Amino acid sequence: MIPGDFDYHLFGTHVRFGDGVANAVGDELRARGLQRPVILTQDRIASAPRHAALLRSLDGMAVLQRAGIPPHSSVSLIETMAPEVAAFRPDCLIAVGGGSVADTAKALALLLAEGGCLADHVTVFRPPATVEIPRRIKPKLPIIAVPTTASGAETTSSFGVRDGERDKRMFWNRQVSAAAILIDPLLSQDVPLATMRYTAMNGIAHCLESLYSKGRSIVSDGMAMQGLALFSQALGPPLPEEATQRRLILAAAHVSGMALAMARSCLHHAICHVVGARLDLPHGLVNTVILPHAVRFNEAAAAPLLADALECVNRRVARQAGGDAARRYDSLSSWLEQTADALRLPRRLRDVGVPEEALPDIAEHVMTERGLALNPRPVASASEVLAILRQAF
């Protein structure tokens, strides 16, 4: 089933999904009495014709636009930008783009409200399972999110920003979740289809980690299962035509992001944060390579929690294959590997530019990541992470 348009409010957030809804961003601001937005985006998006149409919806407002948001964002960029943005006296932030743009908006909202530097507000992980989140309660600027990929970052209160040492610093604050989310499949047409597909693998990771995270619940389970069903339909086989595929991916990304916001991430995302930030690789691409191996590490410990997910995938595959029950996977990790092969996505760290000599350093840095706290199988040492990296290499 192809998801239709939807429009709903949940806990103060307004969500709209449908072709052309990005052009209603001005209406969203006017409904909230907002008129001084700062727009954050990437250069590719800023130069696209559909972005110009979005800007026209803001006619009559004072607008400050900042393009050039880099992958994984940047502590120095945000701290340099903050005084200029503060001088503009904005009443909201608009994030147009992928996960790095959404995370930049959250970091900027936090810094403008709380002052200091970003390091003052970072989340600290103390092994084996202690996560310390600073209490930061000053009012934050509302964020209007217009996502263009399947990152799902716009749905969460968590965000990561790369520092000068190429470490991804992680943060969490309940006040930086988006006040409005406008998901426009037409806007995603400015994003290469291959990028949509590997960010979809990131969305699948959200579903699977939500299902076995120690923070899971029956609510996050429901979202994760819905997201998984939509992703398996989007990524075939057989593959739907492109417009339908983009629509399915974006709808799936939304519900998978909500699942992750509730349940929180585990070992897989911990590894991907380190690999991506230290080697300047796209988060979704790293997800594609690491996910089968991280899931395989957890499959035995989380077998009861993943059984329904595997059955969901197999039912969907059989239905799309015309009822061919012979097309069944014996594990989610094998489904992930075969899906990546079918989509011609990279399967090995070596294929995306990770040198073998970097693996021990990556493994050591993963042991400082907060995602380990909620993983269903304890991660006792960097040697276990290194074994996963070597399997993926």
Side-chain angles (χ1 to χ4, degrees):
M1 182 178 71
I2 310 303
D5 293 358
F6 52 83
D7 185 333
Y8 72 88
H9 294 259
L10 180 66
F11 304 134
T13 298
H14 181 205
V15 179
R16 291 189 64 185
F17 176 97
D19 291 349
V21 300
N23 297 335
V25 68
D27 294 338
E28 188 69 39
L29 265 61
R30 293 181 188 95
R32 295 171 179 271
L34 303 171
Q35 54 186 356
R36 295 185 65 83
V38 173
I39 302 178
L40 304 171
T41 193
Q42 296 142 314
D43 287 336
R44 181 190 66 229
I45 299 296
S47 62
R50 290 184 179 86
H51 186 68
L54 181 154
L55 291 177
R56 286 194 293 273
S57 77
L58 302 174
D59 283 351
M61 299 184 187
V63 177
L64 176 65
Q65 182 169 204
R66 286 295 171 264
I69 304 301
H72 307 289
S73 192
S74 162
V75 168
S76 62
L77 174 67
I78 292 164
E79 292 181 345
T80 301
M81 189 191 311
E84 178 191 4
V85 171
F88 175 71
R89 295 178 291 108
D91 55 14
C92 63
L93 304 172
I94 302 175
V96 185
S100 297
V101 177
D103 282 3
T104 299
K106 297 176 201 178
L108 189 56
L110 179 69
L111 194 60
L112 289 171
E114 303 290 352
C117 59
L118 280 175
D120 299 329
H121 313 299
V122 73
T123 294
V124 176
F125 170 62
R126 302 193 190 282
T130 300
V131 178
E132 298 174 359
I133 301 172
R135 184 171 178 265
R136 302 291 185 263
I137 60 174
K138 293 180 181 178
K140 312 295 188 292
L141 289 175
I143 296 173
I144 313 300
V146 187
T148 59
T149 71
S151 80
E154 67 282 350
T155 62
T156 74
S157 298
S158 176
F159 55 99
V161 182
R162 184 166 60 180
D163 67 13
E165 302 300 317
R166 305 183 82 80
D167 288 321
K168 199 157 194 176
R169 299 302 181 188
M170 301 305 296
F171 306 81
W172 190 93
N173 187 274
R174 70 178 75 250
Q175 294 172 302
V176 300
S177 56
I181 302 172
L182 306 179
I183 308 167
D184 189 339
L186 294 180
L187 202 62
S188 85
Q189 291 178 6
D190 296 321
V191 177
L193 185 58
T195 302
M196 293 298 295
R197 288 174 173 174
Y198 67 64
T199 63
M201 299 298 282
N202 179 31
I204 292 173
H206 294 168
C207 295
L208 298 181
E209 290 212 301
S210 295
L211 288 169
Y212 58 55
S213 167
K214 292 179 181 178
R216 57 168 288 276
S217 69
I218 60 169
V219 183
S220 57
D221 284 356
M223 293 286 186
M225 291 296 289
Q226 177 67 69
L228 194 62
L230 289 168
F231 277 127
S232 60
Q233 182 181 355
L235 301 182
L239 286 173
E241 57 91 21
E242 182 175 333
T244 299
Q245 187 175 171
R246 288 176 181 273
R247 189 177 186 89
L248 284 162
I249 287 172
L250 288 172
H254 178 61
V255 292
S256 72
M258 292 180 68
L260 192 73
M262 299 173 195
R264 292 167 291 167
S265 63
C266 303
L267 171 65
H268 166 74
H269 273 82
I271 295 173
C272 293
H273 288 157
V274 175
V275 174
R278 296 192 73 75
L279 295 169
D280 202 24
L281 294 170
H283 182 63
L285 192 60
V286 176
N287 266 270
T288 302
V289 174
I290 294 294
L291 186 56
H293 307 283
V295 169
R296 188 176 293 114
F297 178 86
N298 282 316
E299 266 174 328
L305 303 174
L306 293 177
D308 287 346
L310 179 58
E311 185 58 31
C312 169
V313 167
N314 278 325
R315 282 198 308 268
R316 178 69 64 180
V317 168
R319 187 180 310 155
Q320 290 179 214
D324 182 4
R327 268 195 183 177
R328 288 185 63 85
Y329 297 94
D330 59 5
S331 67
L332 286 164
S333 53
S334 63
W335 168 63
L336 292 165
E337 289 172 333
Q338 291 183 48
T339 297
D341 282 339
L343 295 174
R344 296 193 174 95
L345 296 174
R347 284 277 316 283
R348 295 290 173 187
L349 289 173
R350 63 168 70 94
D351 296 335
V352 297
V354 177
E356 187 172 10
E357 59 269 22
L359 301 185
D361 176 70
I362 292 169
E364 290 292 341
H365 277 80
V366 169
M367 296 305 294
T368 69
E369 285 282 322
R370 68 183 186 189
L372 302 188
L374 295 175
N375 201 63
R377 175 179 169 181
V379 183
S381 69
S383 62
E384 291 181 298
V385 180
L386 184 58
I388 295 171
L389 293 170
R390 292 200 187 284
Q391 290 168 18
F393 185 76

